[in-house]
């Protein structure tokens, strides 16, 4: 019981988000915060914005939120097309109040946030991507082996703990540097904090996991530990909606089944 639920990368997948919110309620977390990419790729961006706005204490700006609100930059064709389609859904809302509330929500998303209530008394840095480039930089599991300088630069900017999303691959980076997927962090997918250590925790993706496990991913952080969770949801529901929308590539439906 207690703790802060960390969710990220819903990507317009409302079926996954609803399942995760129900699971968080079951587990009795005190509050929920969101690390960004509420929209983009998925078929229900408006419902995801409304749910996140209702349930999350604060929410960060992800690269897809930025793309929908301003413009997509360096996006592949499927991502770019989904950004413009998502933007059109926001604009097509006939209820003026709702339309402006959603734009207000997206317009106020933060690029980074240092949360005094997360972790063991030390403030925890929250960003969507990385502490160096908060909105756009990926930290990949392989970086612990192939990009040691990059990891050193990133850890120079971390005082204790940071929480991130963006890569859609959950796990814990330590400054050895090393990467531990949830199955290797400890009994029950619980990573216990060690006095004086530094770690970057990726909570994985609610709406589009890419670690070959199609279940929605999130984590709950307590004073002394973080626990990773996976939640089954109705993938057919989301995939069928994607396939019915011409602007959303069918690949975006297929990948949900494979978790990649
Ligand atoms: Zn994302």
């Amino acid at each position: 019981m207690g703790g802060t639920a960390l969710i990220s990368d819903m990507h317009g997948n409302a079926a996954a988000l609803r399942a995760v919110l129900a699971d968080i309620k079951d587990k009795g977390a005190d509050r929920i915060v969101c690390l960004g990419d509420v929209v983009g790729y998925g078929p229900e961006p408006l419902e995801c914005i409304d749910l996140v706005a209702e349930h999350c204490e604060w929410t960060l700006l992800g690269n897809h939120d930025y793309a929908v609100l301003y413009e997509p930059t360096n996006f592949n064709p499927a991502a770019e097309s989904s950004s413009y389609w998502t933007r059109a859904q926001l604009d097509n809302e006939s209820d003026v109040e709702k339309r402006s509330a959603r734009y207000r929500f997206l317009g106020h998303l933060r690029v980074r946030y240092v949360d005094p209530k997360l972790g063991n008394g030390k403030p925890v840095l929250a960003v969507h991507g990385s502490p160096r480039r908060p909105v756009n930089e990926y930290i990949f599991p392989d970086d612990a082996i192939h990009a040691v300088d990059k990891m050193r630069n990133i850890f120079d900017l971390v005082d204790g703990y940071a929480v991130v999303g963006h890569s859609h691959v959950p796990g814990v980076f330590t400054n050895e540097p090393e990467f531990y997927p949830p199955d290797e962090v400890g009994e029950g997918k619980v990573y216990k904090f060690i006095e004086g250590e530094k770690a970057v925790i990726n909570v994985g993706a609610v709406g589009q996991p890419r670690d070959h496990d199609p279940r929605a991913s999130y984590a709950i952080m307590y004073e002394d530990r973080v626990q990773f969770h996976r939640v089954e949801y109705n993938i057919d529901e989301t995939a069928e909606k994607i396939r019915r929308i011409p602007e959303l590539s069918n690949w975006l439906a297929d990948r949900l089944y494979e978790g990649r």
Side-chain angles (χ1 to χ4, degrees):
M1 300 301 259
T4 298
L6 303 159
I7 63 173
S8 190
D9 296 274
M10 285 56 58
H11 283 292
N13 185 343
L17 178 55
R18 276 187 255 110
V20 164
L21 291 173
D23 198 67
I24 290 170
K25 203 175 175 195
D26 272 1
K27 298 214 160 53
D30 289 333
R31 61 185 190 129
I32 311 172
V33 299
C34 173
L35 306 182
D37 274 5
V38 179
V39 298
Y41 295 135
E44 290 159 312
L46 306 185
E47 185 176 349
C48 285
I49 291 172
D50 294 346
L51 285 171
V52 168
E54 181 188 343
H55 292 279
C56 296
E57 194 174 298
W58 49 260
T59 300
L60 298 178
L61 178 77
N63 55 317
H64 283 260
D65 308 315
Y66 180 95
V68 168
L69 193 54
Y70 304 109
E71 59 174 334
T73 42
N74 296 321
F75 272 26
N76 64 47
E80 186 176 289
S81 171
S82 85
S83 291
Y84 290 127
W85 177 82
T86 301
R87 174 84 184 205
Q89 305 319 298
L90 281 158
D91 290 340
N92 291 346
E93 171 63 62
S94 54
D95 184 325
V96 180
E97 287 275 298
K98 280 188 182 168
R99 189 169 66 219
S100 56
R102 289 179 189 131
Y103 270 115
R104 223 178 305 125
F105 173 80
L106 289 173
H108 283 88
L109 297 181
R110 319 163 195 224
V111 167
R112 73 197 285 282
Y113 185 56
V114 178
D115 191 325
K117 289 192 266 176
L118 271 173
N120 50 352
K122 260 192 166 184
V124 170
L125 170 67
V127 287
H128 178 67
S130 95
R132 286 201 306 196
R133 290 172 53 213
V135 180
N136 282 304
E137 185 173 57
Y138 290 93
I139 310 175
F140 292 114
D142 272 5
D143 290 343
I145 301 160
H146 300 300
V148 174
D149 285 345
K150 171 182 170 182
M151 293 310 292
R152 195 176 300 127
N153 286 337
I154 285 169
F155 273 105
D156 282 345
L157 300 171
V158 177
D159 180 24
Y161 298 96
V163 291
V164 304
H166 195 37
S167 73
H168 302 200
V169 178
V172 177
F173 294 89
T174 61
N175 59 348
E176 293 162 275
E178 189 57 86
F179 174 75
Y180 301 94
D183 286 335
E184 292 171 24
V185 295
E187 182 87 21
K189 298 185 184 180
V190 173
Y191 182 80
K192 290 208 176 96
F193 301 146
I194 301 161
E195 187 64 40
E197 72 171 343
K198 288 187 180 193
V200 174
I201 297 151
N202 192 313
V203 303
V206 168
Q208 195 196 76
R210 293 180 194 161
D211 61 343
H212 306 287
D213 180 343
R215 295 173 300 167
S217 174
Y218 79 97
I220 302 181
M221 196 164 180
Y222 304 88
E223 273 189 12
D224 60 340
R225 67 196 190 279
V226 63
Q227 182 166 21
F228 294 91
H229 296 286
R230 297 308 278 248
V231 184
E232 292 204 21
Y233 73 97
N234 189 345
I235 299 179
D236 292 341
E237 187 186 325
T238 303
E240 276 159 27
K241 283 178 183 157
I242 290 173
R243 292 201 178 99
R244 267 186 256 124
I245 299 164
E247 291 88 345
L248 301 182
S249 158
N250 285 343
W251 151 243
L252 296 172
D254 297 341
R255 70 188 304 178
L256 295 178
Y257 291 96
E258 296 161 33
R260 73 184 178 101

